[in-house]
Amino acid sequence: FGFNENSTLVARNDVLEYENRFPTGISCTIDNHAEEYTLKLDGVFGRNHIYAALAALALAHQLDIPSKDAVRALREYDAPPGRMKPVHGISSSLILDDTYNASPLGVETALELLARIKSAGKKIAVLGDMLELGKFTEEAHKSVGQKAATSTDVLIAVGKRSQSIVLGAKEAGMAEEKIFYFDTSREAGEYLKTIIRNGDIVLIKGSQGVRMERAVEAVMAHPGDKEKLLVRQEKEWKEKK
């Protein structure tokens, strides 16, 4: 299964679904060479979720479960927190919460998605350190910064390694007044409060150790729902600095 036309189960024409100016999910056409149908996934974005759905559809096909029943069941699909999930933000904004973890490919893919999304306001990327990259640390962060320069209106970098994100964005021509840097995710969240406006879309992503969910918590419209919506809300995580 996949997006390759030679696959047995093929996904194509994936698009973002919108309602009231904001994206609400994704849809695509599924072709298993015997029938064609539409798959819709609410409350998630990115091809990674389509791949997960394709795996489920492939299994359903092998178990002789009718495609219409499998597709209907997938409308109930609910991805875990922090995996590119929409969260309502303050000032009628939308947060793309991708704070579970981060790798160079994952961050660049998230930035590509942000670039695709239609927005009535600013596109803001809040990007934390990517950890455990060894000798590739500086190069990978600079590459992310270069990508951010073409995908965002405002870039906020968090953590000492992300100083290379700032450098990469500047080298790619992003204006300095659109780039901001903070040592911690809490500081980034407090600054976000001052710049978010109606219609803005905010991507927040970083490795686990940078705790980027704290930035989401600072600007989510309903912080009382954080236990349900955010990653790392368990007691042992909450007790860590």
Side-chain angles (χ1 to χ4, degrees):
F1 58 85
F3 287 82
N4 188 313
E5 291 295 331
N6 294 323
S7 299
T8 305
L9 194 66
V10 181
R12 60 169 69 95
N13 303 325
D14 53 314
V15 297
L16 292 163
E17 302 281 337
Y18 291 84
E19 184 177 320
N20 297 327
R21 303 179 301 160
F22 287 125
T24 57
I26 50 179
S27 67
C28 64
T29 300
I30 303 294
D31 180 5
N32 68 4
H33 304 305
E35 59 181 332
E36 189 174 276
Y37 47 89
T38 298
L39 169 70
K40 290 187 177 183
L41 300 175
D42 296 324
V44 294
F45 310 109
R47 281 191 169 188
N48 55 310
H49 295 293
I50 293 178
Y51 276 112
L54 284 171
L57 291 171
L59 178 59
H61 179 72
Q62 290 301 111
L63 296 175
D64 294 324
I65 297 173
S67 298
K68 63 179 181 179
D69 294 339
V71 168
R72 186 184 305 116
L74 283 170
R75 291 304 299 269
E76 304 301 318
Y77 173 68
D78 185 21
R83 274 83 160 184
M84 191 57 80
K85 293 194 69 173
V87 175
H88 293 294
I90 60 174
S91 302
S92 298
S93 64
L94 181 70
I95 304 166
L96 303 181
D97 179 10
D98 205 19
T99 57
Y100 175 72
N101 213 339
S103 66
L105 178 59
V107 177
E108 293 194 9
T109 300
L111 287 168
E112 288 173 2
L113 176 63
L114 181 63
R116 284 179 55 198
I117 293 177
K118 301 173 187 175
S119 172
K122 301 186 298 297
K123 294 182 181 181
I124 303 171
V126 188
L127 305 177
D129 285 348
M130 298 179 292
L131 306 180
E132 301 176 349
L133 297 179
K135 65 180 182 180
F136 301 106
T137 296
E138 182 177 354
E139 175 188 347
H141 284 81
K142 283 183 67 176
S143 179
V144 162
Q146 292 164 357
K147 187 81 171 181
T150 63
S151 309
T152 67
D153 300 306
V154 177
L155 170 63
I156 299 174
V158 180
K160 63 181 181 180
R161 297 168 185 79
S162 72
Q163 292 178 28
S164 294
I165 294 179
V166 171
L167 181 59
K170 289 180 179 178
E171 289 181 351
M174 192 170 192
E176 288 194 25
E177 62 268 22
K178 296 182 179 180
I179 305 172
F180 303 87
Y181 171 80
F182 296 94
D183 291 324
T184 70
S185 56
R186 292 191 193 279
E187 293 172 320
E190 290 304 308
Y191 177 71
L192 266 177
K193 290 180 181 179
T194 70
I195 66 168
I196 288 182
R197 299 291 183 268
N198 188 312
D200 287 353
I201 296 180
V202 186
L203 167 66
I204 304 181
K205 187 169 179 63
S207 284
Q208 285 189 3
V210 196
R211 306 297 301 278
M212 296 302 290
E213 73 276 5
R214 290 168 172 166
V216 179
E217 181 180 348
V219 293
M220 62 192 301
H222 307 292
D225 293 336
K226 65 182 180 180
E227 303 288 337
K228 174 176 64 176
L229 298 178
L230 303 185
V231 294
R232 292 181 284 275
Q233 297 302 297
E234 297 83 5
K235 180 181 178 182
E236 57 270 25
W237 278 107
K238 299 292 280 186
E239 290 177 349
K240 291 182 180 182
K241 293 184 178 180

